[in-house]
Amino acid sequence: MKQVRWFDRKFDFNYEENIFPSIVERLLGTTLRLEDKLSKIPLAKQTIKLDNEWSILEHIGHLSDLEPLWQIRLQEILAGKEFMTAADLQNTKTEQAPHNNKSYTELIGEFAQLREQTLKMIEPLDENEIYKSSLHPRLKTPMRVMDLFLFVAEHDDHHLAKITELNRLL
C-alpha cells in the first residue's frame, strides 16, 4: 500500500477533548520505535536511495532536522504570535546533511536528545496553554499546542512508515 505524500496530507483539528496526554505518549515512544525498527534492518540497506528519495538513515536524520522547528513553533504559540515559523518546504537541511555517513545509533541518539528537550518544554504546560493557537503557515489553519504535537506525532509516524516501506522494497 502506497503512503500519501506528507505535503498532500490534510489535517482536521476540530476535536475539543484533551488528548494531549496520549499525544505525549506517542512522542515519547518514537525513539524506542526507531531503535527497535533499525536494529532489525541490515546495515547495507540503511543508506540505499530508491528513485532518488531519502535513504532510511536520511529519514531518521530528517526527524532531528525538524525537531528545532517544533520547539520554535511551541514558543511562538505560547507567546501569542499570529503565525508560526514556516518550514523549509525544500528540506534543505536534510538534503545537505551527511546523514548517510553516520550510524543509525548516532542518528537516533541525536534525535533522542532533541526530542528530550521538546518533551521538557511541554511537560510543564497546563490545560489553558495546550489550547492556545497560532496559524500554521502552509495549512492556513489555527493550530493549538495540542494540534501541533499531534501533527509532530503524525510526522514521526509518516517517517517510521517510510522506513518500513523502504526496508520492504530493498
Side-chain angles (χ1 to χ4, degrees):
M1 186 178 313
K2 189 119 175 106
Q3 182 173 212
V4 174
R5 288 177 11 99
W6 179 254
F7 291 128
D8 294 339
R9 291 270 316 262
K10 305 283 187 260
F11 294 89
D12 180 9
F13 301 118
N14 290 327
Y15 56 92
E16 293 299 322
E17 61 276 358
N18 179 355
I19 61 169
F20 199 59
S22 296
I23 294 168
V24 171
E25 284 300 316
R26 283 178 67 186
L27 298 174
L28 281 163
T30 301
T31 300
L32 295 172
R33 291 188 295 154
L34 280 169
E35 289 170 345
D36 180 64
K37 187 175 293 293
L38 269 290
S39 71
K40 298 171 185 167
I41 299 175
L43 296 176
K45 286 184 172 186
Q46 295 178 13
T47 57
I48 297 172
K49 296 166 83 89
L50 286 181
D51 301 323
N52 208 30
E53 304 250 334
W54 291 340
S55 70
I56 289 170
L57 294 183
E58 288 169 324
H59 280 281
I60 299 169
H62 176 69
L63 294 176
S64 290
D65 294 340
L66 282 188
E67 199 70 15
L69 176 64
W70 313 140
Q71 296 170 3
I72 290 166
R73 286 180 172 179
L74 170 62
Q75 292 167 337
E76 291 169 338
I77 294 171
L78 294 175
K81 298 237 175 160
E82 182 180 1
F83 283 93
M84 290 182 267
T85 296
D88 169 13
L89 301 182
Q90 307 309 311
N91 290 306
T92 306
K93 189 172 184 180
T94 303
E95 293 292 337
Q96 294 177 351
H99 295 311
N100 282 329
N101 295 338
K102 297 180 179 180
S103 69
Y104 80 85
T105 55
E106 186 177 359
L107 289 168
I108 293 172
E110 290 170 2
F111 172 72
Q113 286 182 329
L114 289 165
R115 178 53 58 89
E116 185 63 31
Q117 291 171 4
T118 303
L119 291 165
K120 284 181 179 168
M121 292 172 73
I122 63 177
E123 182 182 359
L125 298 179
D126 63 31
E127 198 151 344
N128 290 328
E129 289 170 312
I130 66 167
Y131 282 94
K132 289 183 174 185
S133 68
S134 294
L135 290 173
H136 186 278
R138 179 174 58 85
L139 300 175
K140 303 286 191 255
T141 186
M143 189 177 274
R144 302 168 294 192
V145 168
M146 184 166 49
D147 305 328
L148 169 63
F149 288 102
L150 177 58
F151 185 83
V152 172
E154 288 292 314
H155 184 262
D156 289 353
D157 289 349
H158 174 83
H159 288 283
L160 284 160
K162 291 298 279 184
I163 291 168
T164 299
E165 178 184 1
L166 271 170
N167 185 41
R168 188 176 61 250
L169 292 172
L170 296 170

